Amino acid sequence: MDMQPIAAREGNHNLKDYEKARQSFDWEDVKKEFSWYETGKVNAAYETIDRHAENPAKKDQTALIYSSPDREETLTFHELKTMSNQFANVLKKHHVQKGDRVFLFMPRSPEFYASFFGILKVGAIAGPLFEAFMEQAVRDRLDDSGASMLITTPELLERVPQEELPELKKIVLVGYNEESDEKYIDYFHEMEQASEEFEIEWVDLEDGMLLHYTSGSTGKPKGVYHVHNAMIQHYATGNWVLDLKQDDIYWCTADPGWVTGTSYGIFAPWLNGVTNVIRGGRFTADSWYETIAKNNVTVWYTAPTALRKLVSAGEQTAKKYDLSSLRHVLSVGEPLNPEVITWGVKAFDLRIHDTWWMTETGAMLIVNLPDMDIRPGSMGKPIPGVEAAIIDNEGNELPPNQMGNLAIKQGWPSMMRAIWKNPGKYESYFINGWYVSGDSAYKDEDGYFWFQGRLDDVINTSGERVGPFEVESKLIEHPAVSEAGVIGKPDPERGEIIKAFITLNEGYEASDELVEDIRKFVKTGLSAHAAPREIEVKDTIPKTRSGKIMRRLLKSWELGLPTGDTSTLEE
Ligand code: 6R9
């Protein structure tokens, strides 16, 4: 049964009349807000940071409030501009050129953000990686992208298999390093010597800006390629959906290794000129609340997995903190449970606004605006300038309340422009001018969209996309494992957990120790979030006649569902 809608509240919201905005909408009007509209000089780093640093009224405003368990620091727009100029000079000195891929593999820190903008300022393409990645995950991404430079810390360096990455020419080390190799560049040493002035490399709106690797249902992770043009939508959604105002203190919990951590952890807030809270380290319910209370956070963008943790910690935990600064809360990454929304109203007296989008789409597409009634369980409606529909497999639009493929009409500003070195994969996303998301959903009579599930085998565990193939490939590298099939199993807190079915090679016996050893093997070889929480040893793994693992069948078994069509099952 549907819950009662939660009415919009009165307020000074940036976008007041959704229907009217949609009717008269033109992306051209948004472009007028950028300085390149007048000057013709394009670079997202300029719009995000330097523009404010050159504005006397904003230059000394705090742009970044950084805190981690062992470090606290703030930077103004002026300081971020200066540091990123210095880093751009370091890159230039080491011959980084427009279009080169420069990857970042390090925890969130002021140095991360200075490096990130330095990369953009020389016209290179930034590739942020989760610090939790282990050797294979790092290798796959650096190898596929052909990155020529990596910025990392001495601690993480051992996870970079340099001898297997011939295109990787230079490594910038942020932190003390005793090894001397001409390949290594000392971040702090070179920054000290670098000039604070830098002439930005002006680019085209269609030039590359970012590569985010993400998982599909088959094959290795794919490089989703974004261009500077995406800033148009980052800015607009920051204004309409995050509802950012000049004096806001904004916090996005996402790591920049995930698209949310760049589009909404970097671009949207700073394009809108607000103070951005960046917090490193691990989280607990208390540390979340502490961060809000201590920094007077006004707008908070987080994920259902975090919110569910807050719910489990109970209202009494929320009541320990002064959360009165908070005025707007949003969520992304997985379905937002209606119960969590109801709880949010009770615990913070605020509505939690769900937003839907993907790495590929670059920015929010379907959202709950502050001025819109929320129907708990619905992702909301498409933003102005975006047309969404439910289509069948031939690309025909379906009527309301029918479930089908959630699709978006091509042509929004932040859309990916390519899958790196894989044009076939890119083409496969489209049918009849529609971008097909891979999610199933329906639209109700009033135009609200309701998420139903993934149509492929991609696993969403605590908001992170994990490709089963990547995990299976790692599992079978373990000497004991012969075959592996990996699925997502529903879980109340994490959305899904990863469950692996394996068969063993001859000479190995199933035991708790062996299973634990296999789990650790994935955890230390690939990444912690990709390690299966459950591993079940089987005599055989169901496969099609062409040898593909039938994950659908494994899932039906696991959930006790009918097995459906098994005509392609091998003998
Ligand atoms: C930004 C981001 C994309 C996939 C997407 C969908 C799921 C994202 C959601 C949601 C239900 C929401 N997803 N937002 N499901 N409700 N509000 O999450 O990018 O990591 O590429 O994941 O996540 O399945 O297709 P990404």
Side-chain angles (χ1 to χ4, degrees), residues 326-342:
L326 208 54
R327 70 169 173 86
H328 190 39
V329 183
L330 307 100
S331 165
V332 64
E334 311 160 68
L336 180 63
N337 323 59
E339 300 73 27
V340 175
I341 300 185
T342 320

Side-chain angles (χ1 to χ4, degrees), residues 258 333-335 354-359 439 451 454 460 465:
W258 183 30
E334 311 160 68
D354 195 11
T355 64
W356 178 91
W357 57 291
M358 307 174 68
T359 306
D439 286 353
F451 178 85
R454 279 298 295 179
N460 191 332
R465 252 165 97 170

